[in-house]
Amino acid sequence: MFARIGRVVVHHPWRVIAVWLAAAVAVVALAPKLTATTDEASFLPSHYESIQALDLQQKAFPQAATPAAIIVLERRDGAPLTAADSRAVASVGQALAGERIENVTAVQTAPATGNKKIQIISVQMPKPEGTQGKNQTDAVKALRSALPDHLRGTDLRGGITGTAAQNLDGQEAGSKAEAITGAATIGLILVLLLVIFRSPIIALLPVVTIGAVSQIATGLIGWANDVFDLKTDSSVSSMLIVVLFGVGTDYILFLMFRYRERLRAGEDSKTAMVSAITRVGEAISSAAGAVIIAFLALLLSTLALFRSLGPALAIAVATTLLAGLTLIPAVVSLLGTKVFWPSKAWRQEPKGARFAAIGASMGRHPGRFAAVSGLLLVVLAAFSLGFHSNFDLSGGSIPKGAESTVWQKELLKGLPAGATEPSDVYLRSKTGTPLAQADLAAYKAKLAGVDGVGNVADPVLSKDRTVADFRVTLAEKPESSAAIKTVKGPLRDTAHDAAPPGTTAVVGGITSVFVDIQAAVNHDYAVVFPVAAVLIMVILGLLLRSVVAPWYLMASVGLGFAATLGASVLIFQQLKGEPGLIFMLPVIMYLFVVALGTDYNILMIARLREEAREGRSPREAAALSVRYAGPTVAAAGLILAGTFASLMLAGGSTLLQMGFAISAGIAIAAFVMALFFTPAVTALIGHAAWWPGHADAPARGPESEAAGAGEATAQATRHR
């Protein structure tokens, strides 16, 4: 099949390129724009308690809302606010209300806090419109523009925080992150490819071709989101850039290394490209298939965040694979050997002394290589036992210097940490009769006695008095582990158990959402991980015609995942002192490390099989595979790890942790598993690794004879 694809592409390159250009123009013109949301509640299904509380709130208190923005004011010298300062704050509130800013429905000035350190002005807005909540973010921009003028001439300073302000800062940080990530990714690819091939044409090849492919992939993802009503997290755009360029460059490397090898074997440029697609097409397709299936396994997640992330990344990889098998070969077949200009190094087989020495040593001592690389993975994996989750999805994507982050911290000088995002306990009459005042007072007292609760406001009743809203301010930050434990345990338990006869209670608010996200993620660990692993094993089994090799390959990748998680825990929790890793990190990291890490295992194991089918012993096959496939794996791993590492430049702990974890996982997959562990273990197991298909048996037939002749020519060329 791949030989047929190669012949069609090589003999009709202009038609292939024209089809891709037409597809790009059509998709860019017609596809909807890819939008994102930072609303964590929108990711949960309706059976979770936090969503039930949200539905009840919307029915019973349609006009009630937590302030979308909070203006925090304090004295410039840090001293307590005076009576004159409080009057100035009230004047600022009145002046802002008089501005009649669009989408600002109410401006309310609260009294100074008990310690007089701060005073706040609450700003109400309509519900966010669209996935970006543009009505609220535009209002925050206007408020931030107007506030300095009204503070001029006073002893006050202030800033704006709250949900709407955090969303605005998150979007601005996301746009900046996307620009930084894109520039860093493209720059890294250009530099590394120039170093590897010494050709500006090859360096520009992925930038130009994948740049066009990315437009098609983004458009297809936008259509998929619209058709299936999927919600995309705000970090997806940055991840798409590195997936498209990183994975795409990997596939180009796999192809170009083999193309150069066939040229050195004496084939003309067109025949060499057909041979390259024939020989590497199955490995690339299997690798991409593993990635796509792993991503699609996220459709089994209970979180809409992961259910939309999976198809988005799967579409990106599938589009990149198609380009790697058609568009890239078409362009290269037009250029021929000029693609390597001005370098002449493609004509001669390099000595490859470093990889040849490593391969030869492994061939002699595979047990040592397996033991050392395995021990390294085990040591790192041990640190994963200390993993803790952090659920601050929006805050994690906002730089520490952003206005909403700075003034959120200032707010804590005078109010409990949970003041900006209070929890709500909704008490509802099951019979439809009004709630009794005595019951409400007793219920409030029980809620106030819960450990971790800072304050409980007097209940607000619905119009028919059948639902009461008890606003609960937690003592800790809403996204903190302490707050999550409070809501998950004592607050929910007390709210349910202390409900008067004939009533039911549900706990809502952002912390309740985090509690339910934690439960959903635990479900996903138990479902998504095994399904993805089994499906990838099936692909490996079909590729290798073996039931033995897939087991130790997946075991090595699983160990690599644990080692990557352990390295992340070591860096961020133990060395940097952060309270935890972003809650979605293990799922994303597992899929990237397992799926993309399997790419390198597949490339190496396919080369091991190819060398074995040439009649070489398991140890000789391992030695030659490291010698000839090692440079490809090392170059591809370096580029892909580097592109994901560019996420660390974007700012915000979410992308910092993602960038480190995924790049570290890919580096471990390429430089520990694929280069050392996999070939060493395969050499130790020997022919049994290919049972029952014995794919290492020498091939027979016209095609294999032709391949053998080509390989003989290649060997002769290597030894000239």
Side-chain angles (χ1 to χ4, degrees):
M1 181 182 75
F2 293 103
R4 190 178 302 114
I5 292 173
R7 286 192 293 270
V8 170
V9 169
V10 167
H11 292 107
H12 306 284
W14 284 114
R15 294 182 185 179
V16 173
I17 294 170
V19 169
W20 276 97
L21 288 176
V25 171
V27 170
V28 170
L30 302 174
K33 184 180 179 182
L34 184 62
T35 55
T37 179
T38 55
D39 179 11
E40 290 89 344
S42 67
F43 299 134
L44 283 167
S46 59
H47 66 269
Y48 283 100
E49 182 171 342
S50 59
I51 305 305
Q52 293 173 354
L54 180 62
D55 291 340
L56 180 58
Q57 179 260 315
Q58 291 173 346
K59 292 174 184 175
F61 306 98
Q63 304 304 319
T66 302
I70 299 174
I71 303 173
V72 184
L73 298 165
E74 62 184 9
R75 283 186 60 89
R76 296 181 189 276
D77 57 10
L81 294 165
T82 65
D85 293 327
S86 290
R87 288 194 294 273
V89 171
S91 297
V92 171
Q94 291 173 358
L96 289 174
E99 294 267 356
R100 299 191 179 280
I101 294 172
E102 187 177 1
N103 290 312
V104 171
T105 56
V107 179
Q108 300 170 329
T109 303
T113 57
N115 60 8
K116 304 293 184 182
K117 285 291 186 182
I118 63 163
Q119 192 165 353
I120 66 171
I121 300 173
S122 299
V123 181
Q124 301 284 357
M125 300 177 190
K127 290 177 63 176
E129 295 175 1
T131 54
Q132 298 276 345
K134 194 171 186 301
N135 59 325
Q136 289 193 350
T137 55
D138 285 348
V140 171
K141 289 179 184 177
L143 286 167
R144 284 180 173 172
S145 177
L147 183 61
D149 291 336
H150 297 301
L151 292 179
R152 196 170 290 113
T154 71
D155 294 324
L156 303 172
R157 72 186 193 104
I160 302 175
T161 186
T163 306
Q166 288 173 339
N167 286 343
L168 173 61
D169 291 339
Q171 290 169 22
E172 291 177 348
S175 298
K176 181 180 177 183
E178 194 172 332
I180 292 174
T181 302
T185 298
I186 292 171
L188 181 67
I189 289 172
L190 286 171
V191 170
L192 290 178
L193 288 181
L194 276 171
V195 171
I196 293 168
F197 288 100
R198 302 171 190 173
S199 166
I201 298 175
I202 293 181
L204 289 171
L205 186 63
V207 175
V208 175
T209 55
I210 299 174
V213 170
S214 68
Q215 299 301 312
I216 296 175
T218 302
L220 293 175
I221 294 167
W223 266 322
N225 284 358
D226 275 9
V227 171
F228 298 105
D229 191 27
L230 300 175
K231 299 179 186 300
T232 303
D233 172 57
S234 55
S235 63
V236 168
S237 295
S238 296
M239 292 181 66
L240 277 177
I241 292 172
V242 294
V243 167
L244 284 162
F245 281 94
V247 174
T249 303
D250 264 11
Y251 295 162
I252 290 173
L253 277 174
F254 294 170
L255 185 70
M256 293 303 296
F257 269 98
R258 187 53 70 100
Y259 173 60
R260 186 174 65 179
E261 185 177 321
R262 300 316 303 163
L263 287 172
R264 287 169 175 167
E267 295 179 354
D268 65 85
S269 61
K270 291 189 180 295
T271 304
M273 180 52 69
V274 174
S275 296
I277 296 173
T278 303
R279 290 170 176 266
V280 85
E282 185 180 25
I284 291 178
S285 298
S286 299
V291 177
I292 291 167
I293 283 180
F295 288 157
L296 289 179
L298 286 175
L299 289 170
L300 299 174
S301 171
T302 54
L303 286 171
L305 164 62
F306 294 143
R307 285 202 308 275
S308 60
L309 178 64
L313 297 179
I315 289 170
V317 173
T319 310
T320 304
L321 169 65
L322 191 58
L325 293 176
T326 58
L327 179 61
I328 303 300
V331 173
V332 174
S333 66
L334 286 174
L335 294 171
T337 57
K338 292 178 182 177
V339 74
F340 297 104
W341 180 88
S343 173
K344 300 286 195 297
W346 65 269
R347 296 177 176 176
Q348 298 173 342
E349 179 73 27
K351 294 179 180 179
R354 186 175 293 106
F355 286 99
I358 293 172
S361 179
M362 179 179 293
R364 291 192 301 270
H365 310 289
R368 296 179 187 177
F369 279 82
V372 172
S373 56
L375 181 62
L376 174 62
L377 295 174
V378 169
V379 169
L380 287 175
F383 289 100
S384 66
L385 298 175
F387 168 72
H388 296 292
S389 297
N390 178 16
F391 290 84
D392 186 11
L393 185 59
S394 58
S397 60
I398 303 174
K400 293 181 179 180
E403 183 173 331
S404 61
T405 304
V406 170
W407 287 96
Q408 170 82 8
K409 188 176 179 180
E410 292 298 303
L411 184 63
L412 301 183
K413 291 180 178 178
L415 291 174
T420 54
E421 295 277 5
S423 295
D424 291 275
V425 178
Y426 296 101
L427 187 67
R428 181 177 64 86
S429 170
K430 292 193 291 186
T431 61
T433 57
L435 297 167
Q437 193 63 42
D439 289 341
L440 296 177
Y443 191 66
K444 175 188 172 184
K446 290 181 179 179
L447 293 177
V450 172
D451 248 2
V453 169
N455 179 60
V456 180
D458 289 332
V460 176
L461 294 173
S462 60
K463 287 184 179 180
D464 60 4
R465 300 181 63 82
T466 60
V467 181
D469 175 9
F470 295 84
R471 182 143 291 187
V472 178
T473 302
L474 301 173
E476 302 293 338
K477 292 174 65 177
E479 69 278 2
S480 67
S481 296
I484 290 170
K485 287 179 181 177
T486 297
V487 172
K488 181 181 180 180
L491 182 58
R492 279 190 175 178
D493 290 344
T494 302
H496 299 158
D497 298 341
T503 66
T504 59
V506 288
V507 180
I510 194 65
T511 308
S512 187
V513 169
F514 292 146
V515 170
D516 291 338
I517 286 178
Q518 188 176 58
V521 169
N522 289 337
H523 165 272
D524 292 348
Y525 290 163
V527 175
V528 176
F529 284 14
V531 169
V534 168
L535 292 175
I536 292 174
M537 283 184 68
V538 170
I539 287 181
L540 289 172
L542 293 173
L543 170 68
L544 303 175
R545 284 79 168 173
S546 166
V547 296
V548 176
W551 283 100
Y552 69 81
L553 290 177
M554 285 306 299
S556 72
V557 173
L559 189 58
F561 162 75
T564 305
L565 183 59
S568 302
V569 169
L570 176 64
I571 295 296
F572 292 101
Q573 290 183 203
Q574 298 193 14
L575 297 183
K576 291 192 67 178
E578 295 188 7
L581 303 176
I582 198 71
F583 75 91
M584 70 173 76
L585 187 63
V587 175
I588 292 176
M589 188 181 70
Y590 174 88
L591 292 169
F592 276 107
V593 173
V594 169
L596 296 179
T598 303
D599 276 14
Y600 305 123
N601 264 345
I602 287 175
L603 187 69
M604 182 59 72
I605 202 78
R607 188 64 187 237
L608 279 162
R609 181 184 63 179
E610 186 178 323
E611 295 294 344
R613 295 184 75 179
E614 295 294 332
R616 297 179 178 91
S617 70
R619 295 193 176 204
E620 289 173 336
L624 289 173
S625 295
V626 171
R627 176 176 181 177
Y628 294 115
T632 308
V633 169
L638 182 62
I639 287 178
L640 192 59
T643 54
F644 275 104
S646 67
L647 290 171
M648 299 170 66
L649 303 174
S653 62
T654 298
L655 290 177
L656 178 66
Q657 291 179 12
M658 281 187 188
F660 173 82
I662 298 173
S663 59
I666 289 168
I668 288 172
F671 295 100
V672 180
M673 289 190 299
L675 271 180
F676 300 116
F677 193 77
T678 294
V681 171
T682 304
L684 286 173
I685 296 175
H687 295 291
W690 310 101
W691 184 87
H694 297 297
D696 62 331
R700 294 288 181 266
E703 288 189 7
S704 63
E705 289 173 7
E711 186 62 30
T713 306
Q715 292 290 339
T717 304
R718 290 169 190 160
H719 297 293
R720 280 175 188 169

